[in-house]
Amino acid sequence: MTDQYNNTISRRSFLTNGAIAAGTIAVGGGVLGAFNLNSVRAADEVVQSWPLPYVQLDVEKAKELGYWGYMSSQCSYGAFDAVLSQLQEKVGHPYTSIPADMMKWGGTGGAGWATLCGALIGASTAINLVVGKDANTLVEELYKWYTTFPFPEYMPPAGKAGKAEGKLVTSACGSVLCHASVSDWCSVSKYRAEGKERSERCGRLTADVSAKTVQMLNAYHKKMFTPVLKNAESVGECMTCHGKGGTLENTRGKMDCIQCHDDVDTNNLLGHIKQQWNL
Amino acid sequence: MTDQYNNTISRRSFLTNGAIAAGTIAVGGGVLGAFNLNSVRAADEVVQSWPLPYVQLDVEKAKELGYWGYMSSQCSYGAFDAVLSQLQEKVGHPYTSIPADMMKWGGTGGAGWATLCGALIGASTAINLVVGKDANTLVEELYKWYTTFPFPEYMPPAGKAGKAEGKLVTSACGSVLCHASVSDWCSVSKYRAEGKERSERCGRLTADVSAKTVQMLNAYHKKMFTPVLKNAESVGECMTCHGKGGTLENTRGKMDCIQCHDDVDTNNLLGHIKQQWNL
């Protein structure tokens, strides 16, 4: 935070004028009835303190919420709602002021672009809503788990499936990207990418991600969470040169490098360098 | 929405018990003072209606908020806060109940994994907070613009930069992925990926994305938004076979295919097929 920020951004007056103590809830304007912009000015309001208060949630309920949230509004909404709606029910305000619909954009990895898996977009946001400085430790653990987990595990009760009944082929895709995750499952299962079975698979995957998220959040808030998973091997190898402090230091990230780049023989780095530089 | 959803998810009682009319604001419990879970039950609360009410925002202010938000808490927070904090100031509740910190996880493309650019994660969430069924049209336009825009354009006043002063080299990276966006800019600028210049570049990029987002939101809410940009050429070509309705239909997405996959000579599709199947 710099002086420039304080000088130029009048929003800071929220934080300096309002007495926000850790563990207290900042309260809105108490507006009743029809919405009227003029009657709801922010001058006398303080911004919600963060992270929001957490209570232990139900893992099995998270699976159902994630699954049916997917069937209603895709993966990102499903995973976010699996956490949020339980907190709306158990805690109420301020969760009731946050609409799960705001995360719908994450469906199919971001408006259909198939970048970061939408279930992870929704789950990451849910985690960060209730976890402060340690949020990325949980998010990273979720991502590492995702890359190695053979989705889908969840199975709805017989006769109650949203898109397709029965057991589905599983695959661990090695990537957090929707594009790779779907392609890998289609390759293994032989189902079509826009078919009802693939959609069912993503619904069940959303249930699995939602459950894992709630398991981690419950453990973290009981001070029983310890990250245990490692990055893909290629990340450590490639980032020795390409990452922070490396000779090249020309990129960032923790996705498995060799899913998009050619594998490199670590016994022949000279050959790799020559190839990259056309020598 | 299915009967299964209504049967299993008690959260639905929020929506059926509360009289939520379009255009009205649902109000929280009106809790004052210290937070007490027992006193804030959701039974008598209704969930915030969505999308949230929008007022015209300041594009120049969005740049400053995005830039200094990045300097404080990275790209995703910066872009989200550039919209949210203006609405907190101009509208107040329910925006004051939503903490911008919840989007910090998106920094460096998701907890450091360099997937979807964090500025786009924050901006997409901001868009979806205030736009309903058309949200993905705006998000997609933003993504297409992002892939072709020579970042960074924004420049802080002389002597007021957060990380590094002066003009910076620009590059249009062709991708919405942080990993590709950073790598491309490092390749063009010759700066290191973890250096202050790259960080400055991402701060300015966050300002640019924030401004574009507010421009689009302002236009949309004045009924003056029309999407005009097209997908990368390879998407149309490759998805003819690999996408919906294609012979293979084995993937999803709209990222430029040839950034990660070999380019295909459309006059020699047989050769492409033989290569893929090792024939």
Side-chain angles (χ1 to χ4, degrees):
Chain A
M1 205 69 68
T2 70
D3 287 336
Q4 173 73 10
Y5 191 75
N6 284 310
N7 289 340
T8 57
I9 312 305
S10 61
R11 178 226 168 187
R12 306 309 300 168
S13 61
F14 286 141
L15 303 177
T16 50
N17 292 341
I20 305 178
T24 67
I25 287 289
V27 181
V31 186
L32 290 163
F35 179 71
N36 180 341
L37 280 187
N38 292 327
S39 69
V40 208
R41 308 309 298 186
D44 56 352
E45 292 183 37
V46 288
V47 175
Q48 172 63 45
S49 64
W50 167 87
L52 272 58
Y54 186 80
V55 293
Q56 295 288 301
L57 301 181
D58 186 324
V59 174
E60 292 305 312
K61 198 166 179 178
K63 290 180 188 172
E64 290 183 11
L65 284 160
Y67 181 75
W68 290 106
Y70 172 91
M71 296 303 163
S72 147
S73 302
Q74 290 193 280
C75 44
S76 176
Y77 170 91
F80 187 55
D81 190 60
V83 176
L84 180 69
S85 66
Q86 290 200 58
L87 289 165
Q88 287 174 335
E89 185 170 350
K90 289 192 170 192
V91 179
H93 179 83
Y95 293 105
T96 44
S97 292
I98 301 171
D101 309 76
M102 68 189 280
M103 296 310 299
K104 282 180 177 172
W105 70 269
T108 319
W113 278 55
T115 71
L116 179 60
C117 165
L120 294 177
I121 292 173
S124 301
T125 308
I127 289 170
N128 211 173
L129 192 58
V130 295
V131 179
K133 63 180 174 52
D134 297 327
N136 280 5
T137 306
L138 275 75
V139 170
E140 278 218 65
E141 189 76 355
L142 182 67
Y143 290 9
K144 291 171 189 170
W145 168 82
Y146 181 100
T147 61
T148 56
F149 192 81
F151 292 110
E153 181 180 82
Y154 175 76
M155 201 165 147
K160 300 282 188 184
K163 295 283 184 178
E165 294 288 336
K167 201 167 167 56
L168 289 174
V169 173
T170 64
S171 79
C173 69
S175 175
V176 291
L177 298 181
C178 165
H179 175 70
S181 181
V182 166
S183 300
D184 184 74
W185 189 79
C186 289
S187 172
V188 171
S189 71
K190 310 302 179 197
Y191 282 118
R192 292 172 76 83
E194 304 294 343
K196 62 181 183 175
E197 292 84 4
R198 197 278 312 148
S199 185
E200 176 71 24
R201 173 261 185 189
C202 288
R204 298 183 188 185
L205 176 151
T206 303
D208 294 335
V209 168
S210 301
K212 178 71 178 175
T213 300
V214 168
Q215 282 167 353
M216 289 198 308
L217 288 175
N218 284 347
Y220 175 79
H221 284 95
K222 285 197 290 188
K223 301 190 188 307
M224 291 174 67
F225 171 74
T226 308
V228 294
L229 302 175
K230 296 188 186 312
N231 285 323
E233 201 174 349
S234 70
V235 177
E237 290 173 356
C238 299
M239 286 302 193
T240 304
C241 293
H242 293 278
K244 187 171 186 175
T247 317
L248 296 170
E249 197 185 288
N250 59 354
T251 196
R252 311 185 87 192
K254 298 180 185 179
M255 291 187 283
D256 190 356
C257 310
I258 59 175
Q259 283 208 323
C260 294
H261 299 280
D262 291 336
D263 198 2
V264 175
D265 179 359
T266 50
N267 294 315
N268 184 23
L269 282 175
L270 194 61
H272 169 60
I273 293 165
K274 282 183 173 175
Q275 186 187 29
Q276 297 304 306
W277 290 84
N278 291 321
L279 298 176
Chain B
M1 202 69 68
T2 70
D3 286 337
Q4 174 73 11
Y5 192 74
N6 284 310
N7 289 340
T8 58
I9 313 304
S10 62
R11 177 222 169 191
R12 307 307 300 168
S13 61
F14 286 141
L15 302 177
T16 50
N17 292 341
I20 305 178
T24 67
I25 287 289
V27 181
V31 186
L32 290 162
F35 179 72
N36 180 341
L37 280 186
N38 292 327
S39 69
V40 207
R41 310 308 299 186
D44 56 351
E45 294 183 36
V46 288
V47 176
Q48 173 63 46
S49 64
W50 168 89
L52 270 60
Y54 186 80
V55 294
Q56 294 289 298
L57 301 182
D58 186 324
V59 173
E60 292 305 311
K61 197 167 181 178
K63 289 180 188 173
E64 290 183 11
L65 284 161
Y67 181 74
W68 289 107
Y70 172 90
M71 295 302 163
S72 146
S73 303
Q74 292 193 278
C75 44
S76 175
Y77 170 90
F80 187 55
D81 191 59
V83 176
L84 180 69
S85 66
Q86 290 199 60
L87 289 165
Q88 286 173 336
E89 186 169 350
K90 291 192 170 190
V91 179
H93 179 83
Y95 293 106
T96 44
S97 293
I98 300 172
D101 309 77
M102 69 187 281
M103 295 312 297
K104 283 180 176 171
W105 70 268
T108 317
W113 278 56
T115 70
L116 180 59
C117 167
L120 294 177
I121 291 174
S124 302
T125 308
I127 289 169
N128 211 172
L129 193 57
V130 296
V131 180
K133 64 180 173 51
D134 296 326
N136 280 3
T137 306
L138 276 75
V139 171
E140 277 218 66
E141 188 75 355
L142 182 67
Y143 289 9
K144 291 172 189 171
W145 168 82
Y146 181 100
T147 62
T148 56
F149 192 80
F151 292 110
E153 181 180 81
Y154 175 75
M155 202 165 146
K160 300 283 188 184
K163 296 281 184 180
E165 294 288 336
K167 200 165 166 59
L168 289 174
V169 173
T170 64
S171 79
C173 69
S175 175
V176 291
L177 298 181
C178 166
H179 175 70
S181 181
V182 166
S183 302
D184 184 73
W185 189 80
C186 289
S187 172
V188 171
S189 71
K190 310 301 180 199
Y191 281 119
R192 293 173 76 82
E194 303 294 342
K196 61 181 182 176
E197 292 84 3
R198 196 279 310 149
S199 185
E200 177 71 24
R201 173 261 184 188
C202 288
R204 297 183 188 184
L205 175 151
T206 304
D208 294 335
V209 168
S210 301
K212 179 70 178 177
T213 301
V214 168
Q215 282 168 352
M216 289 199 308
L217 287 175
N218 284 348
Y220 175 79
H221 284 96
K222 285 196 290 189
K223 302 189 187 309
M224 291 173 68
F225 171 75
T226 309
V228 293
L229 303 176
K230 296 188 186 311
N231 286 323
E233 201 174 349
S234 69
V235 177
E237 290 173 356
C238 299
M239 287 302 193
T240 304
C241 292
H242 293 278
K244 188 171 186 174
T247 316
L248 295 170
E249 198 186 288
N250 58 355
T251 196
R252 312 184 86 192
K254 298 178 185 179
M255 292 188 282
D256 190 356
C257 310
I258 58 175
Q259 283 207 324
C260 295
H261 299 280
D262 291 336
D263 197 3
V264 175
D265 178 0
T266 49
N267 295 315
N268 184 22
L269 281 177
L270 194 59
H272 169 61
I273 294 165
K274 281 182 174 176
Q275 187 188 29
Q276 297 303 307
W277 290 83
N278 291 320
L279 299 176

